[in-house]
DNA sequence: CTCACTATAATTGCATACAATCTAATTGTG
DNA sequence: CACAATTAGATTGTATGCAATTATAGTGAG
C-alpha cells in the first residue's frame, strides 16, 4: 500500500500545489491588469509605491522578495510607461530612489477595481482564505 | 482607521504571499537538485514520469499545469541530458510520447533524498502542512 | 470523398526570476 | 590617510512561463 518511492509522487508534494496555485491565480489577474498596462510583477511593484513613495530599489526588493536583477528591468519599463521616475540619491550615489509620477499616482484609482474583480473570481471561503494567509506568512517570516 | 485604498495594500493580498512562498520554497530545492543536474521544473517533470512512464506531452502538461511552450524546451533539455526520449506516436503522428532512459530511471533512487532534505528545511507544523495542502487543492480543482 | 474544423507540438516574442559578475560608491580600520 | 571590505544597482547568462502563431495530422459533416 506504501512503497519507498511514495515521497516522490507529485500528489505528496506541498511545494507543487503552491507553485501551481500561485501561477493560476497570477494568470487570473491578466485580463484586469492589461487595461492598466501592467503585468503582475509591475502591479505588485506599484502597490508598494502607492503605499510608500520615494523608496530605494533595495527596500522594494526586500518587500517583494525580488533582487535587482529582476527589479531593474521592471523599473525601467515602469519608467518608460511614465509611471515612475528613478533618481540616484544625492547623499549616497549608490542608492536609487523610485518615485511615482502623476500618471502613476492616478493609476491607483483605476487599480481599485482589480482586487474586487479577483475576489469575485477566486472561489475560496473567507475561513480558508484567512487560514491560508496565516500559514503563508508564518512560512515567510 | 480604514481607507478606500486598503484593498491595494500588499499585506492585504492573498496572491502575493502565495507567489513569494512558492518562489522561496522552490529556491530551497536548488542545492539538492543541482547534484542531480535538475532544475525544479525538470524535477517535477521527472516526478510525473517516475510515476507513469510513456506519456504524451499533452498529459504531462495537464498534470503540471504547463503548456507546450514551456514543456518543449524543458523536455529537450532532459533529452540532451539523456534522462528521457521523445518519440512521435505511430497511431497518431501528432502525439509525442516521453519515455525514461535507464539513466533517467536510475535517477529516481538518488532523488529519494530530496523530499527528505526539504522536509527538514521547511519549518512548518504537520497540522499547518495538512491544512495548506487541502486548501491549495480545493483551489486547484 | 472533400474541405473546413479540431487537436497536438513546436516556434516566436515578451516578461520575469535568479545566480554570478561587475562597477561605482561608501565605510571601517590600522 | 590608504586600502581592504562592504554595499547598491546594473549587467549577463540561463531557465522558465505564457500568449499567439504556425505546422502537421487527424476528424467529421455534407
Amino acid at each position: 500500500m506504501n512503497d519507498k518511492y511514495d515521497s516522490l509522487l507529485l500528489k505528496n508534494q506541498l511545494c507543487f500545489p503552491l507553485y501551481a496555485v500561485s501561477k493560476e491565480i497570477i494568470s487570473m489577474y491578466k485580463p484586469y491588469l492589461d487595461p492598466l498596462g501592467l503585468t503582475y510583477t509591475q502591479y505588485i511593484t506599484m502597490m508598494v509605491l502607492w503605499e510608500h513613495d520615494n523608496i530605494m530599489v533595495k527596500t522594494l526588493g526586500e518587500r517583494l522578495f525580488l533582487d535587482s536583477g529582476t527589479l531593474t528591468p521592471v523599473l525601467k519599463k515602469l519608467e518608460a510607461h511614465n509611471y515612475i521616475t528613478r533618481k540616484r540619491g544625492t547623499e549616497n550615489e549608490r542608492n536609487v530612489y523610485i518615485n511615482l509620477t502623476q500618471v502613476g499616482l492616478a493609476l491607483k484609482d483605476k487599480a481599485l477595481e482589480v482586487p474586487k474583480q479577483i475576489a469575485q473570481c477566486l472561489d475560496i471561503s473567507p475561513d480558508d482564505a484567512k487560514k491560508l494567509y496565516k500559514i503563508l506568512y508564518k512560512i515567510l517570516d
Side-chain angles (χ1 to χ4, degrees), chain A residues 23-79:
Chain A
K23 283 190 309 160
E24 291 301 306
I25 298 187
I26 287 175
S27 77
M28 289 175 40
Y29 278 86
K30 188 170 165 40
Y32 305 109
L33 292 181
D34 275 350
L36 306 185
L38 294 174
T39 62
Y40 181 73
T41 311
Q42 292 167 8
Y43 173 61
I44 58 177
T45 302
M46 292 298 287
M47 271 181 23
V48 173
L49 293 168
W50 286 326
E51 184 175 352
H52 187 47
D53 208 354
N54 191 44
I55 73 179
M56 287 165 41
V57 173
K58 179 182 167 56
T59 313
L60 210 42
E62 287 165 356
R63 300 261 179 101
L64 296 174
F65 297 85
L66 293 173
D67 69 4
S68 71
T70 302
L71 278 177
T72 298
V74 167
L75 293 171
K76 282 186 177 175
K77 262 162 227 154
L78 288 174
E79 186 182 36

Side-chain angles (χ1 to χ4, degrees), chain A residues 1 4 9 13 26 30 43 47 53 64 70-71 73 81 83 111-112 114 132 135 141:
Chain A
M1 213 51 113
K4 66 184 275 211
L9 293 174
Q13 311 303 311
I26 287 175
K30 188 170 165 40
Y43 173 61
M47 271 181 23
D53 208 354
L64 296 174
T70 302
L71 278 177
H81 287 352
Y83 289 160
L112 269 176
V114 178
L132 182 54
I135 296 174
D141 303 332

Side-chain angles (χ1 to χ4, degrees), chain A residues 79-92:
Chain A
E79 186 182 36
H81 287 352
N82 193 34
Y83 289 160
I84 64 163
T85 59
R86 297 156 69 234
K87 268 198 314 270
R88 289 275 168 189
T90 48
E91 9 66 70
N92 191 330

